Amino acid sequence: MADTTYASPIAGLPAQIALHTGRAVFTEAYAVIPHGVMRDIVTSYFPHWQDTRGWIIARPMTGFSETFSQYVMEVSPGGGSDRPEPDAGAEGVLFVVEGEASVTIADKAHTLKPGGYAFLPPGTQWTLFNKGASPVRFHWIRKRYEVVDGIDIPRPFVANEQDEPINWMPGTNSTWGTTRFVDPADVRHDMHVNIVTLEPGAVIPFEETHVMEHGLYVLEGKAVYRLNRDWVEVEAGDFMWLRAFCPQACYAGPARFRYLLYKDVNRHPRLAL
């Protein structure tokens, strides 16, 4: 794999002379949270986490995306939690973009470096601490797991995206592909958190319009992304949040364009709101 970079919030505060020319928008079908508005003033703090803050960039909302929440967490040296997940029914994915996280899952210790990935089924006992000298930043995606009679709950696992292959889409000459951490046909899993890569100039050549909700955090590069009726420029550090059936397409920019992708999968839609 080519040299890989991982964007994360720039934090701080803009200068008083900064112009209001940001790209933040919240519509009936999608939202864009650009990296320039992920500042200190919009961080949150959490019970049972020490020396830790986070940018909550998605949460369930009636009439919008309803299945998941997504945070960018920042753990200072010495910080972390031995009681991180308050909901025994929640599953989670951790994806590290900066620093090294010391994670224990079911009493087994792991060190997650940039690109490190952990899947945490509901009911998993886990901890996370920063034992280094610099901050750790990671995505934490949480979803209420949908139990199905006769289907086992998947087991926890850890990986690193730099050790995983890119599955290139047919007919794209290896320019548009997905790094998958879970087999798409494994119906034990009711969410996928993958990495999508588009090489310079690659496209998603049609308006995808389907039932999955989406969260897309741009890790690297820039693109023009189709969201519902609009073409929107996005770049590293931006986040896009799409309702079910929001049309989407993409033209990648002059460098590799990569994003961390959440979507809900492998379950029947609920028949009541």
Side-chain angles (χ1 to χ4, degrees):
M1 178 177 287
D3 290 342
T4 302
T5 60
Y6 300 98
S8 63
I10 58 178
L13 288 174
Q16 290 286 293
I17 60 172
L19 297 178
H20 284 266
T21 55
R23 295 168 288 112
V25 62
F26 192 99
T27 76
E28 77 282 1
Y30 72 88
V32 176
I33 305 176
H35 67 91
V37 303
M38 297 185 202
R39 299 290 189 155
D40 291 355
I41 199 170
V42 298
T43 54
S44 298
Y45 297 86
F46 308 101
H48 306 301
W49 284 85
Q50 293 77 48
D51 297 319
T52 298
R53 63 180 183 171
W55 290 265
I56 301 177
I57 54 178
R59 54 165 288 183
M61 295 176 62
T62 300
F64 203 70
S65 292
E66 299 180 345
T67 61
F68 76 110
S69 64
Q70 184 164 345
Y71 315 1
V72 182
M73 300 286 283
E74 181 183 79
V75 183
S76 297
S81 178
D82 59 6
R83 299 174 58 185
E85 176 54 73
D87 188 337
E91 61 186 322
V93 162
L94 311 178
F95 183 78
V96 176
V97 294
E98 184 178 330
E100 295 188 3
S102 297
V103 180
T104 299
I105 303 172
D107 296 324
K108 185 175 181 180
H110 306 271
T111 299
L112 297 186
K113 300 179 180 181
Y117 184 109
F119 171 72
L120 307 164
T124 301
Q125 299 297 312
W126 62 282
T127 67
L128 185 148
F129 290 95
N130 180 359
K131 298 181 180 180
S134 58
V136 170
R137 285 182 170 178
F138 62 94
H139 287 260
W140 182 13
I141 297 171
R142 302 171 63 230
K143 180 183 182 295
R144 180 65 65 85
Y145 183 74
E146 296 183 52
V147 175
V148 177
D149 183 48
I151 295 178
D152 293 336
I153 295 173
R155 298 182 60 81
F157 67 87
V158 298
N160 191 294
E161 68 111 351
Q162 297 186 44
D163 299 325
E164 303 295 327
I166 298 176
N167 299 281
W168 299 107
M169 299 290 279
T172 66
N173 196 28
S174 299
T175 59
W176 168 27
T178 302
T179 303
R180 299 190 179 102
F181 298 92
V182 170
D183 182 346
D186 185 347
V187 296
R188 296 177 304 164
H189 288 271
D190 66 352
M191 72 170 177
H192 288 168
V193 179
N194 300 323
I195 295 173
V196 175
T197 298
L198 288 96
E199 297 294 347
V203 301
I204 298 176
F206 70 109
E207 288 75 14
E208 294 185 38
T209 308
H210 53 92
V211 69
M212 291 87 160
E213 296 178 346
H214 287 64
L216 294 80
Y217 186 92
V218 181
L219 297 170
E220 188 176 357
K222 64 178 290 185
V224 180
Y225 216 92
R226 176 66 179 263
L227 298 169
N228 200 19
R229 306 178 186 90
D230 308 315
W231 287 98
V232 179
E233 283 192 295
V234 293
E235 62 181 352
D238 293 351
F239 180 70
M240 293 171 277
W241 189 14
L242 285 62
R243 287 185 69 173
F245 299 108
C246 177
Q248 61 171 308
C250 179
Y251 285 89
R256 293 172 74 219
F257 177 65
R258 304 174 72 241
Y259 54 84
L260 185 70
L261 170 66
Y262 161 89
K263 57 185 178 181
D264 56 313
V265 297
N266 296 343
R267 294 295 184 268
H268 292 289
R270 295 189 300 272
L271 297 182
L273 299 177

